Amino acid sequence: MSKEKKVFKRVLVGVDDSADAQLAFRYAMRRCINDNSTMIITSILENDEMNVYQALTKDYVHGERKELEEHIKEYRQVALDAGVKKVEMFVAEGDPGETIVKEVIPETKADLLVIGSLSKKGIKKYFGSQAAYMAKHSPISIMIVR
């Protein structure tokens, strides 16, 4: 049996500043450099982190989203500086697991999803369930890094 490695053309990586997400980001960078793949960096603005007033205030949501987009640009620059040739960004709003599976993957046409196993919240159960949700429902291959 040949040990041919599957080459993914469009690698989607979810980032949220957790240690696991940093590992996932570094793994995705190396993979994209080695395979000459496009890297798609995504982060999800979680509505449940806002109070009701903030969630209803368009200016607040817009400001939070803009801040997140600026942060993703920093990740993009790191990837480009490291040698990734093509880097795209995708910011969305909602529940991270569901949004990535139902919106981000179809819209970006990614063929590999790379995520950390835990979120920045530090509540293992919470993002563990996000990672489990994505692993179960993702229409594409998924690498969960820890």
Coordinates of all heavy atoms in Angstrom, one line a residue, residues 2-3 15 76 96 99 106 113 119 129 140:
S2 N 0.6 2.2 -0.9 CA 1.4 3.4 -0.9 C 1.1 4.3 0.2 O 0.0 4.4 0.7 CB 1.2 4.1 -2.3 OG 0.0 4.7 -2.3
K3 N 2.1 5.1 0.6 CA 1.9 6.0 1.8 C 1.7 7.4 1.2 O 2.3 8.3 1.8 CB 3.1 5.9 2.7 CG 3.2 4.6 3.4 CD 3.6 4.9 4.8 CE 3.5 3.6 5.6 NZ 3.6 3.7 7.0
V15 N -9.2 30.4 14.6 CA -8.3 31.0 15.6 C -9.2 31.8 16.7 O -10.2 32.4 16.3 CB -7.3 32.0 15.0 CG1 -6.3 31.2 14.1 CG2 -7.9 33.1 14.2
R76 N -2.9 36.9 9.4 CA -2.6 36.8 8.0 C -1.2 37.2 7.7 O -0.5 36.6 7.0 CB -3.6 37.7 7.2 CG -3.4 37.7 5.7 CD -4.4 38.5 5.0 NE -4.3 38.5 3.6 CZ -3.5 39.3 2.9 NH1 -2.9 40.3 3.5 NH2 -3.4 39.2 1.6
P96 N -19.8 29.3 17.2 CA -18.6 28.9 16.4 C -18.7 27.6 15.7 O -18.5 27.6 14.5 CB -17.5 28.8 17.5 CG -17.9 29.7 18.6 CD -19.4 29.6 18.6
T99 N -21.6 27.8 13.0 CA -21.3 28.8 11.9 C -20.2 28.3 11.0 O -20.3 28.4 9.8 CB -20.9 30.1 12.6 OG1 -22.0 30.5 13.4 CG2 -20.6 31.2 11.5
P106 N -18.9 26.0 3.6 CA -19.4 26.1 2.2 C -19.0 27.4 1.5 O -18.7 27.3 0.3 CB -20.9 26.1 2.5 CG -21.1 25.5 3.8 CD -19.9 25.9 4.6
L113 N -10.4 21.3 7.6 CA -10.6 22.2 8.7 C -9.6 21.9 9.8 O -9.5 20.7 10.2 CB -12.0 22.1 9.3 CG -12.4 22.8 10.6 CD1 -12.2 24.3 10.4 CD2 -13.8 22.5 11.0
S119 N -11.2 26.1 23.8 CA -11.4 27.5 23.4 C -10.6 28.3 24.5 O -10.2 27.9 25.5 CB -12.9 27.9 23.4 OG -13.3 28.0 24.8
S129 N -17.1 20.5 23.3 CA -18.3 20.3 22.6 C -18.4 20.9 21.2 O -18.9 20.4 20.3 CB -19.5 20.7 23.4 OG -19.6 22.1 23.5
I140 N -16.1 18.1 5.5 CA -14.8 18.0 5.0 C -13.9 17.3 6.1 O -14.3 17.2 7.3 CB -14.2 19.3 4.6 CG1 -14.1 20.3 5.8 CG2 -15.0 19.9 3.4 CD1 -13.4 21.6 5.5

